[in-house]
Amino acid sequence: MSSHPTSKETLLAEANNLYTQAVHEVPPNRTTLDSLVNYLRRNPSLYYSSLFTTAYDAAQTILGILQDNDDGHVDDSLQILTPPAVWGWAVMEDSVCYRPPVHLRQSEYPQLVDKFINLAMLTLNNIDITPGQVVRRAVQALARFWPILVDVVIAESPDNVVWKRHFENMLTLAKRIVALSRHSDDPSMQVHLTKFLEVEAIIFSPLPRPGLDSRGIVDLSKIPESHPYINKTELGRRGESARVELVHLLPN
């Protein structure tokens, strides 16, 4: 008997079933949510389905409730909303960092990136009220995505206004994260902020770095001198600043 590949509809139904199982427990079952992350990694076509919207909504809902709360009594809600929000960031990270087929890169992929970046901006703008676990997960996702975005922007037409906007918004986020690294007194947060600095120190090195190409990591030497909106000099300064910050963060 010949075997047939499982249809996307069947895979999506199984993924939705796992999510429903996880969030119907109180508090939501983190192990099941982690299993769903791994399930999606084995079936990346599902990133381009309703599952991305589910992930986005899970990460966005907690922000909406915190912003609307006036009495400060949200502890019970946070226990329920935080695990799905963290799961949402994990799925969104994998979605925007997955290299899609060309036809999706021109259509659906920019829309995923737009939602991802906009929610990251909302999260960092509300860092004082957002659970640290959610903020850390967002910073972790941005650290992984930053070199991928630069690589995509270089490959796209310099006249593409959509990717220009994504790059400029991500640069704003990067500046915010670096500023946080100088003032955060949360050791758990500092781990992820330091990782972000490490990424900038590597991809914005002023000199070509042997071996980066083979590892799929972009560096400044790949950016055309005449690029209309990527300022190589500014990025080089960011790379140097990141290296200085990392030295200061090293234990004595």
Side-chain angles (χ1 to χ4, degrees):
M1 179 182 294
S2 60
S3 61
H4 299 282
T6 306
S7 70
K8 184 174 180 178
E9 290 76 14
T10 301
L11 294 172
L12 180 59
E14 176 61 22
N16 283 324
N17 183 50
L18 284 171
Y19 183 74
T20 300
Q21 288 179 28
V23 298
H24 278 189
E25 295 187 33
V26 181
N29 191 311
R30 296 172 186 264
T31 301
T32 304
L33 289 172
D34 288 343
S35 296
L36 179 51
V37 170
N38 292 327
Y39 181 85
L40 294 175
R41 287 171 179 168
R42 295 193 301 271
N43 301 284
S45 66
L46 295 182
Y47 295 141
Y48 297 89
S49 72
S50 59
L51 256 298
F52 183 90
T53 301
T54 300
Y56 174 87
D57 288 345
Q60 190 275 335
T61 296
I62 192 170
L63 291 176
I65 288 177
L66 289 170
Q67 287 177 318
D68 293 339
N69 176 65
D70 294 324
D71 57 15
H73 299 297
V74 294
D75 289 348
D76 291 341
S77 296
L78 290 182
Q79 290 182 2
I80 296 172
L81 295 174
T82 298
V86 172
W87 169 83
W89 275 108
V91 173
M92 286 192 294
E93 174 190 333
D94 285 345
S95 299
V96 297
C97 293
Y98 170 68
R99 299 304 179 108
V102 173
H103 70 285
L104 290 177
R105 177 171 290 196
Q106 300 300 324
S107 56
E108 295 181 55
Y109 182 61
Q111 298 174 31
L112 304 191
V113 171
D114 187 62
K115 287 189 171 183
F116 171 80
I117 290 178
N118 286 341
L119 190 55
M121 296 181 78
L122 183 63
T123 300
L124 293 187
N125 286 341
N126 290 278
I127 193 170
D128 292 338
I129 62 172
T130 305
Q133 191 176 359
V134 176
V135 177
R136 292 193 296 271
R137 198 62 190 76
V139 172
Q140 178 181 336
L142 291 166
R144 181 180 169 200
F145 177 64
W146 201 190
I148 291 173
L149 177 60
V150 174
D151 196 34
V152 171
V153 166
I154 293 171
E156 290 292 330
S157 166
D159 298 324
N160 190 315
V161 295
V162 172
W163 288 108
K164 178 177 183 288
R165 184 179 74 249
H166 291 336
F167 177 82
E168 291 174 344
N169 287 340
M170 182 63 207
L171 186 58
T172 299
L173 283 167
K175 292 175 180 177
R176 174 82 166 114
I177 292 170
V178 171
L180 286 174
S181 72
R182 296 170 182 150
H183 305 292
S184 175
D185 55 3
D186 179 351
S188 298
M189 178 70 74
Q190 196 64 51
V191 170
H192 298 289
L193 297 172
T194 300
K195 177 61 179 178
F196 194 91
L197 289 172
E198 291 174 352
V199 168
E200 289 215 324
I202 293 172
I203 65 175
F204 298 145
S205 170
L207 299 174
R209 303 289 293 275
L212 285 185
D213 224 8
S214 63
R215 289 158 45 200
I217 301 176
V218 71
D219 70 272
L220 288 182
S221 65
K222 292 183 178 180
I223 302 174
E225 294 289 345
S226 59
H227 201 284
Y229 61 84
I230 301 181
N231 187 324
K232 288 181 68 170
T233 301
E234 178 187 357
L235 296 184
R237 286 197 294 265
R238 291 193 63 80
E240 178 60 29
S241 176
R243 286 187 290 278
V244 172
E245 293 286 343
L246 287 169
V247 170
H248 290 162
L249 291 171
L250 289 174
N252 293 328

